[in-house]
Amino acid sequence: MDGTVAAVSRNGEYSFTKPNRESITLVAGLGVEGDVHAGVTVKHRSRVARDPSQPNLRQVHLIHEELFAEVARAGFTVEPGRLGENVTTRGLDLLALPTGTLLHIGDSAIVEVTGLRNPCRQIDDFQSGLLKQVLGRDEGGNVVRKAGVMSVVRQGGPVRPGDPIRVELPAEPHRALEPV
């Protein structure tokens, strides 16, 4: 179930997309150094408006590169960083991971998966109709969110494209991911 880093991205300004970088540095308890969403308390504008003192469970956003191929079949072109993620992964089923999974990235960084990204209308602002591709319903009518997972940094370190990602599952019973 292990994977690799396909791309890394960060942006110091509020913007939906994040430019790709040669590397990013994760900082324990904060997030991506130099990224607008780094911090102990929540930084996403909608969440700040509700309660700026809530903990930041969305320090690092990860998306699986395989999503880009899926939406391409529906006519959309999405590249790493364009949906606002910090780490684009390859070969790892992020959406199937349980809450509390530790992802060991590169030589030293460790992030803990906190939940699913809840896709918002900004995705349609980016490309009209794309939101419907990353947010839908399964056969049972349950909401399916495909826009990646959120995490917090447990141990800092540099992260670069090509770095391995090793999955460490939490103790059972596992809890399915929910939006954070």
Side-chain angles (χ1 to χ4, degrees):
M1 186 193 279
D2 296 342
T4 59
V5 175
V8 294
S9 311
R10 72 170 163 74
N11 198 341
E13 300 176 7
Y14 279 106
S15 172
F16 183 68
T17 62
K18 295 187 180 198
N20 292 167
R21 308 292 181 167
E22 289 183 22
S23 70
I24 57 174
T25 300
L26 303 186
V27 180
L30 294 177
V32 178
E33 183 177 76
D35 191 81
V36 70
H37 294 112
V40 174
T41 56
V42 69
K43 300 301 177 195
H44 287 76
R45 289 178 173 170
S46 64
R47 296 178 191 297
V48 168
R50 278 186 262 156
D51 179 3
S53 67
Q54 61 186 307
N56 188 1
L57 301 178
R58 301 164 59 98
Q59 293 174 356
V60 181
H61 176 199
L62 300 97
I63 282 186
H64 50 295
E65 183 181 60
E66 293 80 2
L67 177 64
F68 304 152
E70 182 181 329
V71 300
R73 290 190 289 277
F76 296 92
T77 302
V78 180
E79 297 172 350
R82 302 296 286 168
L83 294 181
E85 76 274 13
N86 300 110
V87 179
T88 308
T89 66
R90 180 180 299 131
L92 181 58
D93 188 357
L94 292 172
L95 304 178
L97 298 173
T99 301
T101 297
L102 297 178
L103 301 176
H104 298 257
I105 308 173
D107 292 333
S108 59
I110 303 173
V111 299
E112 179 181 340
V113 177
T114 55
L116 295 167
R117 175 188 185 185
N118 196 21
C120 66
R121 66 170 180 75
Q122 288 183 335
I123 292 175
D124 264 351
D125 293 344
F126 171 66
Q127 286 186 43
S128 182
L130 183 58
L131 180 60
K132 200 171 188 178
Q133 300 299 313
V134 299
L135 181 65
R137 295 198 179 271
D138 64 15
E139 302 79 31
N142 301 305
V143 175
V144 176
R145 293 168 178 86
K146 301 179 190 176
V149 300
M150 307 308 283
S151 65
V152 295
V153 181
R154 293 296 179 217
Q155 183 172 303
V159 177
R160 297 174 187 84
D163 279 351
I165 302 171
R166 182 176 59 82
V167 175
E168 180 183 344
L169 295 174
E172 293 190 13
H174 292 160
R175 289 183 303 127
L177 294 175
E178 296 180 7
V180 293

